[in-house]
Amino acid sequence: MAEQAPALALDIGGTKIAAGIVDAKGQLLHQNRQPTPRSADPDEVWAAAERTIADALASDALAAAGGEVRGVGISSAGPIHLPDGTISPVNIAAWRGFPVVERASVAVPGVPVRLAGDGLCMALGEHWRGAGQGAAFMLGMVVSTGVGGGLVLDGRPYTGRTGNAGHVGHTIVAVDGPRCSCGAHGCVEAIASGPHLVAWAREHGWAGADARELAEAAAAGDDVAVRAFSRGARALAAMIASVAAVCDLDLVVIGGGVAQAGAVLFDPLGAALRDYAVLDFIRDVRVIPALLGGDAGLVGAAALLRNP
């Protein structure tokens, strides 16, 4: 298969499953999204993925590009297990040890299939076509319903032993902090994710509905909303400084729904980072917003085929 042929990218999450056609330059030519079925039957969930794959393979975009794909890249919510090609997404209860690589190989035979966690694929997408272009040592992060991440080290994706490296949402930033959904205490996700920002604000008298309203309230100067984002930003800054010190980062790219709050998150984050990132070699680490939005996972999944 020619290296210039496009890739088929699959992005699996708890709320949606998407498939796309991505050309060799990282342009997303076609995509189709379907809701992730709320079913206890693993095959019924996979059927939704198969429909998106079939749609992509039958697309005019692929026909115009020659009609064949050079491989399949899969971005999945985790945990994943690369050695077995299986996934157990927390928010897809039907899939525990689901053989997604094997199933994709059957659906699209005769081409390589690559798998990575959604945090890493977000990082790869931003590194290839978004805000992370040119960075050698980068952390890509999603701050939304949860906090996820992926590492690009020396210009290449770093997966770790099982494929879950870069799982920064479960970095401990408060030893006696609130209990996280993972069972530990003080994870950054338990402080800085959207639902936890909202929960803290409500505990302190705010009466709004969700993280978007909280961001609007913070932008309007509401004291509790401002303090909620400052608290979350400080937790994120502690995590970023820690990961930067371990991995010698030069760039952090942040996407996701909470990151769309803009200055109400990034301003206190920058101020807190100056308190935590004090070592000479991490003092200048840059933290910037992502550019690709919801397309980063598909672009990053396709990028897996560039880094065998």
Side-chain angles (χ1 to χ4, degrees), residues 169-249:
H170 300 285
T171 302
I172 306 298
V173 294
V175 175
D176 297 317
R179 182 177 290 277
C180 180
S181 59
C182 74
H185 285 272
C187 296
V188 67
E189 182 173 298
I191 299 172
S193 67
H196 287 96
L197 292 177
V198 170
W200 185 90
R202 286 175 175 164
E203 289 172 3
H204 289 79
W206 185 71
D210 56 27
R212 179 175 295 181
E213 285 190 18
L214 187 66
E216 292 171 353
D222 180 272
D223 179 65
V224 173
V226 168
R227 286 192 288 130
F229 270 93
S230 295
R231 177 176 177 268
R234 196 158 192 86
L236 289 170
M239 178 272 287
I240 288 169
S242 298
V243 176
V246 171
C247 297
D248 202 2
L249 301 176

Side-chain angles (χ1 to χ4, degrees), residues 57-92:
L57 293 177
S59 66
D60 292 341
L62 181 57
E68 294 184 302
V69 297
R70 60 192 167 97
V72 180
I74 304 172
S75 166
S76 177
I80 70 171
H81 194 256
L82 274 185
D84 295 338
T86 60
I87 59 175
S88 302
V90 171
N91 292 322
I92 305 179

Side-chain angles (χ1 to χ4, degrees), residues 13-270:
T15 59
K16 63 96 176 82
I17 296 174
I21 300 296
V22 182
D23 71 15
K25 295 181 179 180
Q27 297 293 333
L28 183 59
L29 306 178
H30 169 87
Q31 65 174 304
N32 173 267
R33 296 169 184 257
Q34 294 203 9
T36 303
R38 300 296 182 186
S39 171
D41 183 348
D43 290 329
E44 187 174 335
V45 180
W46 176 246
E50 285 188 310
R51 289 192 293 271
T52 65
I53 291 171
D55 175 83
L57 293 177
S59 66
D60 292 341
L62 181 57
E68 294 184 302
V69 297
R70 60 192 167 97
V72 180
I74 304 172
S75 166
S76 177
I80 70 171
H81 194 256
L82 274 185
D84 295 338
T86 60
I87 59 175
S88 302
V90 171
N91 292 322
I92 305 179
W95 282 359
R96 291 295 174 265
F98 185 77
V100 69
V101 170
E102 177 185 327
R103 293 296 187 93
S105 296
V106 172
V108 191
V111 297
V113 178
R114 305 280 185 259
L115 168 67
D118 54 0
L120 179 56
C121 286
M122 176 271 179
L124 282 176
E126 291 290 341
H127 186 258
W128 187 13
R129 295 295 306 173
Q133 294 179 68
F137 292 85
M138 170 189 149
L139 169 65
M141 288 175 52
V142 176
V143 184
S144 187
T145 305
V147 177
L151 292 164
V152 176
L153 302 180
D154 203 15
R156 297 181 61 82
Y158 182 73
T159 61
R161 176 177 56 89
T162 65
N164 293 290
H167 219 62
V168 294
H170 300 285
T171 302
I172 306 298
V173 294
V175 175
D176 297 317
R179 182 177 290 277
C180 180
S181 59
C182 74
H185 285 272
C187 296
V188 67
E189 182 173 298
I191 299 172
S193 67
H196 287 96
L197 292 177
V198 170
W200 185 90
R202 286 175 175 164
E203 289 172 3
H204 289 79
W206 185 71
D210 56 27
R212 179 175 295 181
E213 285 190 18
L214 187 66
E216 292 171 353
D222 180 272
D223 179 65
V224 173
V226 168
R227 286 192 288 130
F229 270 93
S230 295
R231 177 176 177 268
R234 196 158 192 86
L236 289 170
M239 178 272 287
I240 288 169
S242 298
V243 176
V246 171
C247 297
D248 202 2
L249 301 176
D250 55 6
L251 181 68
V252 178
V253 175
I254 305 181
V258 173
Q260 293 175 11
V264 298
L265 175 69
F266 282 92
D267 285 355
L269 175 55

